[in-house]
Amino acid sequence: MPPVIFAVLVGIAVYAVVIALIPRHILADTTTYTRQMLQKLAKDRPIEEVEDNLSVLRSQTETKGMLATLFYTMPLANAARPRLLRAGLATQVGPFFLACVGVFIVTLYLARGLGIVAFVAAFVMAYLFAFWYIRRRIHKRNITFLNNFPDALDMIVRSVRSGYPLNSAIRMVAENSQPPVSTEFRQVADEIAYGSSLIEALQRMSYRIDEQDVRFFVVVLSVQQDVGGNLSEVLNNLSGIIRKRKYLRMKIRALASEGRATAWVLGSMPFAEAGLILMVSPDHLTPLFNTHMGHMILGLTIGIVSLGIFIVRQM
């Protein structure tokens, strides 16, 4: 085993042992966020009464295990807790933390000849990976939710027209839909059942699913709760609007697919060509890695190519 990897593994082991030996009350309580959320729902009732019942809320916000404890002792980890909740990773902190550690070790191994710069680069890459992965999971989860959201609204409309109250219709959606729609609506139903108002529960759902269509849904129900009206007709119209927005997004994505493919091809060509040259004639590119001017040219080239990829992606 390379000495650098061995040193990193020993450091992680020592860190884990130290954290394990520290009394629990000294560490930041990993359930503080959960208790704060539950306290908002409990209002004037004992917190234990709500904790015993809101199983969905607890399962999505509470983390357990040594890896989760280690993760939340890292710098900026607590600031990522709301994003982990939005990404559906609040209960999968352990595997996520191991993936970040893996990126750190791989980067450290690849840059092992750069001294302290290798450690800085490894930390930066681990944090960039964490940010990218969380952002990707949030986007993927939101898209999945929006794709199934109109069907959930249609189910609520049919239930209301059949004579069921709105709370029961939301519970039906939670029991008959696919995640993440079922997970979010189940949490809304549980919050309503144990003390929260409908609008407050929906507002918290719009925080977890930060999309315009969900905010439309919250506003429509808020107005309907205040002024009254035909709920089924309002939700049916909203379902139609959300479907049209979905089709428009899909059409835009199809029209922009050629530009995205062009960006990926043009952006990958310099790296592919450099890889081929290194395979065929490694000495041809040696000055780029062994001279000061080569380092400047290499950094400038990577920066310009990255900037071009970013600009085309934004376009």
Side-chain angles (χ1 to χ4, degrees):
M1 179 181 296
V4 174
I5 303 300
F6 179 75
V8 171
L9 294 178
V10 171
I12 294 174
V14 172
Y15 181 72
V17 171
V18 171
I19 293 297
L21 294 178
I22 295 177
R24 298 291 296 179
H25 67 275
I26 296 180
L27 292 176
D29 186 6
T30 58
T31 64
T32 300
Y33 183 78
T34 302
R35 295 185 65 85
Q36 291 175 353
M37 294 291 293
L38 292 170
Q39 191 67 58
K40 291 179 181 180
L41 301 178
K43 297 182 180 178
D44 297 329
R45 294 186 296 162
I47 187 67
E48 292 79 8
E49 179 183 345
V50 183
E51 283 184 332
D52 292 337
N53 293 295
L54 290 183
S55 58
V56 177
L57 179 60
R58 295 184 66 188
S59 66
Q60 287 196 354
T61 58
E62 196 170 278
T63 54
K64 299 178 181 179
M66 178 57 67
L67 290 177
T69 304
L70 289 174
F71 174 78
Y72 284 116
T73 59
M74 300 295 292
L76 304 178
N78 278 306
R81 192 188 295 266
R83 290 182 174 271
L84 290 173
L85 181 62
R86 290 176 176 175
L89 294 172
T91 58
Q92 304 174 22
V93 176
F96 172 71
F97 180 55
L98 287 178
C100 294
V101 172
V103 172
F104 175 84
I105 294 176
V106 171
T107 306
L108 189 62
Y109 176 75
L110 295 176
R112 59 188 181 276
L114 300 180
I116 190 63
V117 178
F119 284 91
V120 176
F123 275 111
V124 171
M125 289 301 298
Y127 275 95
L128 288 178
F129 167 78
F131 176 78
W132 168 81
Y133 185 71
I134 292 176
R135 183 177 178 181
R136 180 175 177 272
R137 282 292 298 262
I138 292 175
H139 177 72
K140 184 178 180 180
R141 188 170 188 265
N142 287 0
I143 291 298
T144 304
F145 184 93
L146 293 179
N147 288 338
N148 297 319
F149 191 41
D151 296 332
L153 293 182
D154 291 341
M155 191 180 303
I156 294 176
V157 170
R158 290 193 296 269
S159 301
V160 171
R161 286 177 177 175
S162 300
Y164 289 95
L166 181 58
N167 294 353
S168 299
I170 291 177
R171 176 68 68 178
M172 289 182 183
V173 173
E175 294 174 352
N176 297 281
S177 300
Q178 298 294 326
V181 173
S182 61
T183 305
E184 293 297 332
F185 275 91
R186 185 179 296 113
Q187 182 165 334
V188 170
D190 286 348
E191 291 180 8
I192 294 172
Y194 295 104
S196 180
S197 68
L198 172 64
I199 303 306
E200 290 174 350
L202 290 176
Q203 286 175 344
R204 281 188 286 271
M205 184 179 76
S206 68
Y207 171 78
R208 296 188 300 271
I209 306 293
D210 189 17
E211 293 289 344
Q212 191 70 39
D213 293 343
V214 180
R215 289 193 286 272
F216 285 160
F217 176 61
V218 176
V219 170
V220 166
L221 283 186
S222 300
V223 173
Q224 197 277 335
Q225 292 286 313
D226 291 338
V227 303
N230 191 333
L231 178 60
S232 61
E233 182 178 354
V234 171
L235 291 181
N236 189 48
N237 293 336
L238 178 62
S239 175
I241 292 174
I242 292 177
R243 276 197 169 88
K244 291 179 181 178
R245 286 168 55 85
K246 173 185 173 182
Y247 294 151
L248 180 60
R249 285 194 298 267
M250 295 173 63
K251 183 176 181 180
I252 293 174
R253 184 174 180 82
L255 293 174
S257 60
E258 181 180 357
R260 290 200 310 275
T262 301
W264 281 109
V265 172
L266 293 180
S268 62
M269 281 182 62
F271 302 101
E273 292 177 0
L276 291 175
I277 294 175
L278 287 174
M279 293 174 60
V280 176
S281 179
D283 296 336
H284 186 73
L285 297 180
T286 300
L288 291 177
F289 304 101
N290 296 337
T291 64
H292 179 68
M293 181 61 69
H295 293 165
M296 294 179 59
I297 295 175
L298 186 61
L300 181 62
T301 302
I302 294 176
I304 292 176
V305 172
S306 301
L307 180 62
I309 295 174
F310 175 78
I311 292 175
V312 174
R313 182 176 178 82
Q314 294 301 313
M315 292 172 60

